[in-house]
Amino acid sequence: MPFAPSSMHVESTAFAPNAAIPKRHSAEGEDLSPALSWRDAPAGTQGFAVICHDPDAPLVKDGSYGYVHWLLYNLAADVTSLEEDTRQGTAGVNDGGAVGYGGPMPPEGHGVHQYYFWVLALDTLTELPERLTQRELLNELEPHILGMSRLVGTYRRD
């Protein structure tokens, strides 16, 4: 993934930074995307995208590491929060092969995994089709990323 740090701040009412993600947001629970919000987007921001990625997953796919749990894009600049189990935006395909959010579910015996909820600020409002993969999405977004920030949560399988 490209890297464009910014002063943007991402948070959730569901969990604190580097804290445990509640079970209701996992594949062991209700599998609902957590509420997210962000502020201080870079000047010129016209749209946003969200990616949830588990870099601790022992998978290599299409030349990248980890596991993609959520791709959400086509979010306008005035969208600065997502409610739990949001229906806003357009969803891509997660690494489980499903469209939309797929919550944490580390392999048994793997211990605690980290989940990075990235918010990407873009210089354009995208109108991309549903079902893009992470690679396809990043190929489209990379030239338009003004800044990015993340919220990291953890999850350990019961």
Side-chain angles (χ1 to χ4, degrees), residues 105-119:
M105 183 71 146
E108 286 189 42
H110 245 245
V112 176
H113 278 218
Q114 297 179 80
Y115 296 84
Y116 287 62
F117 289 83
W118 289 97
V119 176

Side-chain angles (χ1 to χ4, degrees), residues 76-101:
D78 62 350
V79 175
T80 58
S81 65
L82 300 171
E83 63 188 23
E84 178 181 82
D85 196 29
T86 188
R87 299 294 176 225
Q88 291 188 68
T90 302
V93 177
N94 62 44
D95 280 347
V99 174
Y101 179 80

